[in-house]
Amino acid sequence: PDVIIEAQFDDNDAEHGQDHLQDTFTDDVKKLSLDDGEKGETKQDEGPKVNDPRLLPDKFLQRTAKVVYILEKKHSRAATGFIKLLADRNSELFKRCAMFSPVDHRVPRAYVSLADCPPDFVTRPEDYSNMLFICRIVDWKEDSNFATGQLAKSLGQAGEIEPETEGILTEYGVDFSDFSPEALECLPQNLPWVISPGELAKRRDLR
């Protein structure tokens, strides 16, 4: 019962346009009306009511659903973007927060604390207009248009390869930290290392 089936839109309806849908709906409504043969009035008490959704064709019904459980959070809640001062300089929020604008427009804009921003950001915001930052979204209240985020780190100038690459890896949750000493110990220690003739004999050379 928790499986949701999405309604399919008929291409024939799209070809005939909205007028076709309206005419079909009108015809169906007329079939549900009961004519007394004299005054042409509909007897609501003797026949079924037209506004009963159970009597309408499926094509006129919009299926609705609600989220009942979150199985897994697919997004890392981290985004790459820029910070800037709020537009309303007279508000109380201006003294406490800055605005984070993500590069990915699927991620909402977020308020970030000025304490997480660089110390001279308020006095020299233009110095950071082209600086990439990593922000993690920690909350998003129902009555707010913007989420609440926390700046994780400064990546560097936008457009450069290393900051852009690090930002993409962080957004998708890819671990790009250095290998541990245990992993490095598995590698050959006597350098330069060469493939032994025995290995070459039993392997297909794809070099």
Side-chain angles (χ1 to χ4, degrees):
D2 295 334
V3 176
I4 300 173
I5 300 177
E6 193 172 293
Q8 299 296 323
F9 183 73
D10 191 356
D11 292 337
N12 295 328
D13 294 337
E15 294 177 0
H16 292 83
Q18 188 68 25
D19 294 338
H20 171 71
L21 292 177
Q22 185 63 33
D23 294 340
T24 305
F25 178 74
T26 304
D27 294 340
D28 291 338
V29 171
K30 289 180 178 178
K31 293 178 182 178
L32 297 176
S33 302
L34 298 178
D35 192 352
D36 59 4
E38 297 179 358
K39 299 180 180 180
E41 295 180 355
T42 301
K43 297 181 179 180
Q44 297 289 347
D45 53 345
E46 296 182 5
K49 294 184 177 180
V50 177
N51 60 357
D52 189 349
R54 294 172 298 180
L55 302 176
L56 296 175
D58 289 342
K59 66 170 61 179
F60 299 114
L61 299 180
Q62 175 62 55
R63 291 175 172 83
T64 60
K66 67 178 181 178
V67 177
V68 295
Y69 186 73
I70 298 177
L71 289 177
E72 181 183 359
K73 293 183 179 180
K74 300 293 291 184
H75 199 274
S76 63
R77 299 298 188 271
T80 305
F82 305 92
I83 58 174
K84 58 183 179 180
L85 295 175
L86 299 180
D88 188 3
R89 295 178 176 270
N90 297 323
S91 65
E92 283 294 326
L93 202 59
F94 179 85
K95 303 175 182 178
R96 298 183 289 107
C97 298
M99 178 63 69
F100 174 80
S101 298
V103 176
D104 189 350
H105 296 292
R106 295 173 299 177
V107 181
R109 289 183 291 175
Y111 290 125
V112 294
S113 175
L114 288 177
D116 296 337
C117 300
D120 58 343
F121 169 68
V122 176
T123 57
R124 302 174 61 88
E126 63 278 358
D127 294 348
Y128 301 93
S129 59
N130 200 37
M131 185 77 68
L132 281 176
F133 290 86
I134 288 288
C135 176
R136 294 190 180 275
I137 296 178
V138 296
D139 192 16
W140 193 358
K141 299 185 181 302
E142 295 181 358
D143 57 350
S144 176
N145 293 329
F146 306 106
T148 302
Q150 184 176 9
L151 287 184
K153 63 181 298 186
S154 172
L155 296 177
Q157 293 293 323
E160 297 182 359
I161 294 179
E162 291 186 4
E164 297 280 0
T165 303
E166 183 178 350
I168 294 174
L169 294 176
T170 304
E171 287 181 356
Y172 285 92
V174 179
D175 184 9
F176 57 94
S177 59
D178 295 336
F179 288 104
S180 64
E182 292 78 9
L184 295 177
E185 289 177 358
C186 298
L187 299 177
Q189 303 300 320
N190 297 325
L191 300 179
W193 178 78
V194 294
I195 303 175
S196 63
E199 286 292 330
L200 286 176
K202 64 181 181 180
R203 294 177 181 268
R204 182 181 176 186
D205 194 350
L206 298 177
R207 291 175 298 176

